Amino acid sequence: MNEDDSGEAGQMAEGAAIEGGADSTALTVTDQSHARRSGVLGVPIEVMVSVGKARPLVSHLVNLRRDSVLVLDSLLEDPVEIYIGERLIARGELQEAEDGTGQLAVRLTEIEDLSNGV
C-alpha cells in the first residue's frame, strides 16, 4: 500500500465512523467538537458601543479643554450601534443598569443576522 492508499483508507475509516453513528469513534468526535465549542464560548470578547460621531476641525480639537463640549451627530433618543471589531452586530438604547449602580447599559432593540458568524 502506498502513501496515497493509506491516506484514503484513513479518511474512509474516519468517515465511516462518523456516518455509522453507533461507533464509539463518532461519539468521541462529537464530544471533542462540543468541548471545543464550549471552550470558545467561555472566552471573553470586547464589544464596542458607538453613540455617535463628530467631525470637528483640527483647529477646534487643539483648543479643547476640560468642560469643552464635543457635539455628536446623534440625538439622545437615537439608537446606539454595537460592534465586534468592525462588524455591526446589534443596535440598542442606552439605559442605566438595573442593579442600581448607575452603570451605563444597552437594551438591545435590533440584532443583525449572525448566521454567517461574528
Side-chain angles (χ1 to χ4, degrees):
M1 188 186 303
N2 64 32
E3 280 185 39
D4 292 335
D5 292 339
S6 64
E8 278 182 34
Q11 288 175 352
M12 287 173 55
E14 188 176 307
I18 292 172
E19 289 172 15
D23 190 319
S24 64
T25 306
L27 294 175
T28 303
V29 170
T30 303
D31 292 344
Q32 288 174 356
S33 175
H34 177 59
R36 276 189 295 243
R37 258 186 285 138
S38 296
V40 170
L41 294 177
V43 174
I45 187 166
E46 186 171 274
V47 175
M48 183 176 59
V49 178
S50 175
V51 297
K53 296 177 184 159
R55 293 186 61 91
L57 298 173
V58 173
S59 60
H60 291 141
L61 282 178
V62 297
N63 290 319
L64 288 176
R65 301 288 181 255
R66 182 182 174 147
D67 294 326
S68 294
V69 175
L70 187 61
V71 178
L72 303 177
D73 64 351
S74 56
L75 302 174
L76 278 173
E77 60 271 2
D78 285 348
V80 296
E81 296 178 329
I82 298 106
Y83 291 89
I84 293 178
E86 292 186 17
R87 179 154 183 206
L88 175 68
I89 62 162
R91 288 184 181 80
E93 303 168 343
L94 289 177
Q95 67 177 46
E96 185 176 340
E98 294 176 353
D99 60 6
T101 60
Q103 228 174 342
L104 202 53
V106 178
R107 177 175 306 280
L108 299 182
T109 57
E110 298 175 44
I111 298 176
E112 297 294 313
D113 178 13
L114 302 176
S115 61
N116 293 328
V118 177

